[in-house]
Amino acid sequence: MALPTYSTMKHHLLPAATYSRLVPRATYHDAATIDEPTIKPQNRSRSAVNIPASLSNLLHLNLNHHTNPTGTHAGSSNNAMLDVENFNRQTPTYSPTEDISSMYSEIHGAADWSRLLSPLHPWLRREILKYGEFAQATYDAFDSNPFSQYGGSCMYGRHRLFEKLGLLRHGYDVTKYLYAMSHVDLPRWLERSLHAEAWSRDSNWMGYVAVSGDEESRRIGCRDIVVSWRGTVVPAEWLEDIQGKLESIKSNDQSDIRVEHGFRSIYTSKAETTRYNKLSASEQVMGEIKRLVKFYQEKGEKVSITITGHSLGGALALLNAYEAASALPSVPVSVISFGAPRVGNEAFADRLKELGVKVLRMVVKQDVVPKMPGILFNEGMKMVEKVTGTLDWVYTHVGVELGLNVKTSPYLKNCIDFAGFHNLEIYLHLVDGYVSSKSGFRCEAKRDVALINKASGMLREEIGIPPCWHQLANRGLVCNPYGRWTMPNRELEDIPSPYREGYEQLLN
């Protein structure tokens, strides 16, 4: 039975009284700008939960809602009347896509997105959301049921992935699945099946490679090769599993470039005794990227590589970008990441810049994961380095940051929920509503707010969407013809098989 997806869910109908508290009347700016109507943050009751001030100050979480002398939120308006009559509850949850080929270079970060971020250009916003949905697909299709024979794999074969998740409208085709293992003990990262005949004891499905079709390639101005890496969801995993140990990016590398030990292990680990990781994730992805680049360049096409991921997936995206840009210097490489941690030291960041890798990081201010590793020892130590010289063991972020804030959305609870702050659907919701750091949430945001509660409970309760609703009916069990409840057999196309993938690779 297919899970509810972004494309198949109908817009949740709310009583007019509920929307009257959520949707203010649009106010429009000068037509010469690309600013869009916004929703100013509204009054909400203060959370009953408090955390130690020292922790919130250390992490710069900004959890307190600042008020002005009248008691309203800074920037809110007591005069914001609500336009319920003109609010159409039957509108599509995404906008029509325009031909953006004229801005191909800028959209891919040629000028570090300098003219597109403040205010956020609507074309760039839609591309960010597209890549974010590619990253979300790695969660929605992941079989995390430990009682399933295929726990830790993708629930769908690659030819059906986008169809099952409602992503065919983006115009991409999945060409390869990626698998990873780790020689470092990261227990919360690896999902293991408890089934006696488990598909794998060592590996997890970690993402996929896709390529834009002809129509989409014409729209965006190039043949876009996308790599999407799966991440982790719960911030506690980072607190317990990240070792914070920097090591050389290659075993025989004599440079000062260092990256986090655990991330590198996931990206490069392999074992001849495994079924899915005889080649490392690095070797799998680079083999497919090189094959696609050669194929389309020989046809005379312009090719780009866009790598995306959330959380751990964002870290793997940077390692992948470093390797891709080093091996294919003539191909532009960009990274669109969400809630990604720091990965390496300043030498790693400098080398990515030298290679021409463009990185756009979406960061929610209240999310703790982007502050790790290196909560204390990070790029903020520039003043110390003026005295000590460059410190190889200090972590630093890479690229351009687009800062988001949960306080801007009128749909979200005023609460402390670290898992919720890190949730990818929260990121996509905030990107959809973002105009600039000085603006409120835009009225024309189209993503269905029900998606926020797929794996969290961050939506305000009066909206009427239950928390964590995205789950298999009956925990995946079905009643067989004999009246017994069992785990269903997968369709042949959806059963992971290294032999089928190898055969399809030969045909390509």
Side-chain angles (χ1 to χ4, degrees):
M1 173 176 162
L3 293 175
T5 63
Y6 173 70
S7 66
T8 58
M9 288 188 304
K10 295 183 178 178
H11 196 288
H12 192 79
L13 300 181
L14 303 185
T18 299
Y19 267 104
S20 71
R21 296 193 296 275
L22 297 176
V23 185
R25 189 182 304 276
T27 57
Y28 291 87
H29 301 285
D30 188 276
T33 71
I34 62 169
D35 283 9
E36 303 179 47
T38 60
I39 297 175
K40 296 294 184 182
Q42 297 189 9
N43 247 347
R44 299 180 222 164
S45 59
R46 290 182 179 273
S47 171
V49 182
N50 291 309
I51 64 170
S54 58
L55 178 59
S56 69
N57 290 336
L58 176 65
L59 299 177
H60 306 290
L61 297 184
N62 190 24
L63 296 172
N64 296 319
H65 288 255
H66 300 292
T67 58
N68 62 28
T70 65
T72 59
H73 291 290
S76 66
S77 170
N78 291 327
N79 299 320
M81 299 301 292
L82 308 178
D83 190 6
V84 178
E85 295 82 2
N86 294 327
F87 186 82
N88 187 349
R89 299 179 179 89
Q90 301 298 323
T91 56
T93 54
Y94 51 89
S95 302
T97 52
E98 303 93 345
D99 186 323
I100 64 173
S101 57
S102 62
M103 291 182 61
Y104 155 77
S105 296
E106 286 187 272
I107 293 290
H108 283 267
D112 293 319
W113 300 279
S114 58
R115 297 195 308 117
L116 305 181
L117 293 179
S118 187
L120 182 61
H121 196 290
W123 291 2
L124 178 58
R125 180 189 296 112
R126 286 173 191 160
E127 292 303 292
I128 292 172
L129 291 174
K130 177 180 76 175
Y131 294 118
E133 290 180 356
F134 286 153
Q136 181 64 42
T138 64
Y139 294 124
D140 293 344
F142 185 65
D143 189 344
S144 58
N145 184 356
F147 299 101
S148 166
Q149 180 180 355
Y150 305 107
S153 72
C154 180
M155 292 189 291
Y156 312 114
R158 67 177 179 86
H159 297 294
R160 306 202 310 158
L161 178 66
F162 286 168
E163 175 191 353
K164 287 292 186 180
L165 300 183
L167 297 178
L168 288 176
R169 70 180 186 279
H170 290 316
Y172 285 70
D173 298 307
V174 177
T175 65
K176 187 174 180 62
Y177 276 175
L178 305 173
Y179 298 90
M181 61 180 294
S182 178
H183 291 313
V184 176
D185 187 18
L186 296 173
R188 292 178 180 265
W189 168 83
L190 187 66
E191 295 284 351
R192 298 186 186 278
S193 171
L194 302 177
H195 197 281
E197 298 178 356
W199 72 288
S200 175
R201 300 291 182 188
D202 314 283
S203 305
N204 270 192
W205 179 64
M206 209 61 200
Y208 58 88
V209 181
V211 64
S212 57
D214 293 343
E215 184 177 349
E216 177 69 1
S217 298
R218 286 191 293 270
R219 186 188 75 84
I220 63 179
C222 66
R223 186 71 65 170
D224 188 29
I225 299 169
V226 170
V227 182
S228 181
W229 292 98
R230 184 175 63 82
T232 48
V233 179
V234 184
E237 300 173 3
W238 295 95
L239 295 172
E240 295 184 20
D241 293 344
I242 281 188
Q243 301 183 19
K245 175 186 175 184
L246 284 165
E247 66 179 14
S248 294
I249 193 164
K250 294 182 180 179
S251 56
N252 58 351
D253 191 271
Q254 300 300 314
S255 70
D256 295 328
I257 299 174
R258 296 189 182 351
V259 295
E260 206 279 328
H261 176 55
F263 301 154
R264 181 179 177 274
S265 176
I266 294 169
Y267 188 64
T268 62
S269 290
K270 62 180 179 178
E272 188 60 36
T273 56
T274 65
R275 297 181 68 198
Y276 292 86
N277 276 113
K278 296 183 187 301
L279 297 177
S280 67
S282 163
E283 292 168 328
Q284 294 169 49
V285 71
M286 287 307 302
E288 183 66 0
I289 287 175
K290 290 177 181 178
R291 183 185 73 82
L292 291 171
V293 167
K294 179 181 179 182
F295 177 78
Y296 289 109
Q297 282 188 339
E298 287 179 349
K299 295 174 65 176
E301 296 191 32
K302 186 190 307 180
V303 179
S304 68
I305 299 171
T306 308
I307 310 174
T308 188
H310 166 253
S311 194
L312 169 64
L316 297 177
L318 276 186
L319 295 176
N320 188 184
Y322 175 91
E323 191 172 22
S326 300
L328 301 163
S330 64
V331 181
V333 178
S334 58
V335 174
I336 306 293
S337 69
F338 304 83
R342 297 182 181 94
V343 175
N345 62 359
E346 187 174 0
F348 176 65
D350 290 343
R351 182 57 181 153
L352 281 170
K353 188 173 182 179
E354 291 170 4
L355 290 168
V357 175
K358 302 300 181 179
V359 180
L360 181 57
R361 297 182 296 108
M362 267 47 70
V363 175
V364 169
K365 191 167 189 175
Q366 291 80 6
D367 186 2
V368 300
V369 170
K371 307 175 196 311
M372 298 185 286
I375 290 179
L376 297 176
F377 303 107
N378 53 53
E379 58 272 4
M381 296 185 67
K382 290 290 185 183
M383 294 300 295
V384 176
E385 289 188 337
K386 289 181 179 180
V387 178
T388 63
T390 302
L391 302 173
D392 294 340
W393 44 269
V394 173
Y395 286 92
T396 186
H397 269 305
V398 179
V400 178
E401 177 179 316
L402 179 62
L404 307 168
N405 193 326
V406 297
K407 295 193 301 178
T408 62
S409 172
Y411 300 97
L412 302 179
K413 292 178 181 177
N414 177 19
C415 65
I416 297 171
D417 182 345
F418 291 117
F421 296 153
H422 187 54
N423 189 288
L424 179 52
E425 285 291 358
I426 290 288
Y427 272 82
L428 300 183
H429 170 69
L430 294 175
V431 169
D432 195 29
Y434 183 87
V435 177
S436 74
S437 59
K438 297 180 180 179
S439 302
F441 198 90
R442 70 186 187 107
C443 288
E444 292 183 350
K446 290 183 176 292
R447 278 185 69 80
D448 192 343
V449 296
L451 296 171
I452 293 168
N453 270 15
K454 281 169 72 174
S456 79
M458 287 286 288
L459 271 179
R460 290 168 62 179
E461 292 177 356
E462 60 264 40
I463 296 176
I465 303 296
C468 302
W469 56 261
H470 190 260
Q471 51 190 291
L472 290 170
N474 304 313
R475 297 293 181 91
L477 293 178
V478 296
C479 188
N480 69 16
Y482 302 99
R484 298 184 183 277
W485 288 89
T486 62
M487 282 287 179
N489 294 322
R490 283 191 182 183
E491 294 187 29
L492 183 62
E493 160 71 14
D494 299 332
I495 297 175
S497 169
Y499 309 110
R500 183 196 303 121
E501 295 205 359
Y503 177 70
E504 290 177 347
Q505 195 70 40
L506 289 175
L507 292 180
N508 292 329

